[in-house]
Amino acid sequence: MYLLGIPRSIPAIALASLLILFVDIYPSVKSFMVMLRTASFLLLWLISFMLTMVAYLFLMTTSLAKIQGLVGPEGTKLTAILLAALMQATILQSLSLKISEVKIINLQALIDSYRTQVLEDITKKNSQRERLHAFHLADQLCQKFKDDVNGITEEYSQLLLATGQTQDSATQLVGTIEQNAKSLNISKVKLIAGSIARLDQARAKQLLS
């Protein structure tokens, strides 16, 4: 009876496997949306889902009576799914290929290596997203202060002081931007707007409000 209901359990199993990955990876990347937009993470989620499904089938065929006795019929399926999600890491650790007692393939090491690659991919995509967002903020700041170069210069100087720069170093940084604007024939407002957006996006948003 429970095996016939497995298709209805697939969404819950997928969600449980995602939750396990979320707890594991999110503290390192701090962006759930970027995680879901990274191809290597989606593949890791698929692997986790398949292993969780295997663990769920194992529990439902071997431990159904025990689970029912502990939580009752109503909580059996949910409990089995949660246990399966926790078990999938153990499944990974136990999977390996041995020949004459020599371990040839250690899948746990392969998964750990792939997880590291996933973290690098997410971090890279997150950095690209942050840079793109900074570009958009800079464009908006440039439009707002296009006729107020003194105003945006003062805001930038105050921001530098707020982030720990001394008055002399802040003046030097502003002077460097002025020199770059002249030598590159670029608007000083545009260079300062880009610097503000890269230095503190929260402050850039406040200036736009």
Side-chain angles (χ1 to χ4, degrees):
M1 181 178 65
Y2 281 98
L3 292 179
L4 293 177
I6 284 177
R8 295 193 296 272
S9 302
I10 288 178
I13 293 171
L15 183 61
S17 61
L18 176 61
L19 179 61
I20 293 296
L21 291 178
F22 179 79
V23 171
D24 178 35
I25 293 178
Y26 180 82
S28 300
V29 297
K30 306 296 184 183
S31 179
F32 184 63
M33 292 306 299
V34 174
M35 288 169 60
L36 292 179
R37 293 173 180 172
T38 303
S40 56
F41 173 80
L42 294 178
L43 179 57
L44 183 62
W45 182 14
L46 177 61
I47 294 171
S48 176
F49 165 72
M50 294 173 64
L51 290 172
T52 303
M53 178 66 78
V54 170
Y56 177 75
L57 290 172
F58 175 79
L59 286 172
M60 295 302 283
T61 55
T62 63
S63 305
L64 177 59
K66 292 181 180 180
I67 296 175
Q68 281 184 328
L70 290 173
V71 300
E74 295 80 7
T76 297
K77 186 177 295 185
L78 178 60
T79 301
I81 291 173
L82 293 176
L83 289 175
L86 295 174
M87 284 177 60
Q88 55 103 353
T90 304
I91 294 175
L92 278 178
Q93 293 176 352
S94 64
L95 289 176
S96 61
L97 175 61
K98 289 185 178 181
I99 298 179
S100 299
E101 298 303 318
V102 177
K103 185 177 293 187
I104 304 301
I105 298 177
N106 186 341
L107 291 185
Q108 175 64 27
L110 292 176
I111 292 296
D112 286 344
S113 176
Y114 184 71
R115 177 185 177 279
T116 300
Q117 183 61 52
V118 170
L119 288 173
E120 292 176 358
D121 291 345
I122 295 175
T123 301
K124 182 178 179 180
K125 186 175 285 290
N126 197 33
S127 297
Q128 292 172 343
R129 176 174 171 269
E130 290 295 323
R131 286 196 298 269
L132 182 61
H133 187 48
F135 288 149
H136 290 322
L137 288 175
D139 287 342
Q140 293 173 337
L141 284 173
C142 190
Q143 288 297 317
K144 181 173 182 177
F145 289 93
K146 63 181 179 180
D147 298 322
D148 189 11
V149 62
N150 291 331
I152 196 171
T153 301
E154 178 62 23
E155 292 291 351
Y156 181 51
S157 297
Q158 293 300 318
L159 179 59
L160 290 173
L161 294 175
T163 54
Q165 298 286 346
T166 64
Q167 184 64 58
D168 290 341
S169 62
T171 301
Q172 183 178 0
L173 288 170
V174 171
T176 299
I177 286 181
E178 291 177 347
Q179 294 175 4
N180 290 338
K182 292 178 181 179
S183 61
L184 298 174
N185 194 27
I186 298 176
S187 166
K188 178 182 175 181
V189 171
K190 185 174 183 178
L191 291 179
I192 292 180
S195 297
I196 292 175
R198 288 191 298 271
L199 183 60
D200 190 337
Q201 292 189 13
R203 180 54 182 160
K205 293 177 181 177
Q206 289 177 353
L207 292 175
L208 291 171
S209 61

